[in-house]
Amino acid sequence: MLATMENMALLDLSDELAGMILDSEEVQNYQQCKQALLDDATSQKSIRQFIRIKEQYEEVQRFGRYHPDYKEVTRKTRAYKREVDMDQNVAAFRRAEMDLQSLLDEISLLLASAVSDNIKVPTGNPFFETKSACSSGSCSTGGGCGCSA
């Protein structure tokens, strides 16, 4: 019975945390940037062109530079990618996406460290590292880093 009550309390707290994340400035900005990207006809046209040329590029890559259209398709792929990368809406969306990912990474690290300092959180972001000295790979659980193996 006690475990069930604790589980319910944890579920309530996780729902509260999820609500706070959804109400965060990062999520709001992400949703606005995503909608602006979806609503902009020029941005969508650039993305569709890039997707088409990328499919051609993947086909050409099967044969490499021996394909007769290799140079032309490669050149077009780079040009369309640059066009998409320089698009104001795409750039804003990517920034908002990175900001949201950073928030989620930070929350994951906080939750993990609340349980144990030895939990490794794969954030994929080099600016976030686990607080465990063992995570650096310098310890093979021999206690050299101060951990208790």
Side-chain angles (χ1 to χ4, degrees):
M1 178 76 173
L2 183 58
T4 304
M5 294 301 287
E6 288 175 354
N7 287 341
M8 293 301 293
L10 283 174
L11 288 174
D12 289 343
L13 289 171
S14 65
D15 285 343
E16 186 179 335
L17 178 60
M20 291 168 64
I21 292 169
L22 290 172
D23 291 340
S24 72
E25 186 178 314
E26 288 83 357
V27 170
Q28 301 301 318
N29 186 39
Y30 172 83
Q31 290 174 339
Q32 288 172 353
C33 290
K34 182 179 179 182
Q35 195 59 50
L37 178 61
L38 292 173
D39 290 345
D40 189 274
T42 306
S43 297
Q44 289 302 308
K45 181 182 175 191
S46 295
I47 292 170
R48 281 192 305 274
Q49 286 175 326
F50 176 68
I51 290 170
R52 266 189 249 117
I53 195 68
K54 186 176 156 196
E55 289 168 356
Q56 288 178 5
Y57 178 78
E58 289 169 1
E59 180 66 30
V60 166
Q61 283 301 105
R62 290 185 359 179
F63 302 101
R65 67 176 87 164
Y66 300 109
H67 192 284
D69 296 332
Y70 176 79
K71 284 185 180 181
E72 181 64 20
V73 170
T74 301
R75 185 190 62 74
K76 281 184 178 179
T77 302
R78 283 193 213 121
Y80 285 133
K81 172 124 176 57
R82 193 172 319 119
E83 183 180 324
V84 168
D85 287 345
M86 299 303 287
D87 185 279
Q88 181 178 338
N89 291 312
V90 171
F93 176 71
R94 286 186 180 158
R95 273 192 307 276
E97 195 173 44
M98 286 175 44
D99 290 345
L100 178 56
Q101 185 63 53
S102 292
L103 173 69
L104 295 173
D105 289 346
E106 194 171 342
I107 290 169
S108 296
L109 286 170
L110 288 170
L111 290 172
S113 68
V115 175
S116 169
D117 286 338
N118 295 322
I119 294 177
K120 295 177 180 86
V121 180
T123 63
N125 186 340
F127 297 111
F128 287 102
E129 296 178 8
T130 58
K131 294 180 182 178
S132 170
C134 294
S135 66
S136 66
S138 61
C139 172
S140 59
T141 65
C145 68
C147 71
S148 55

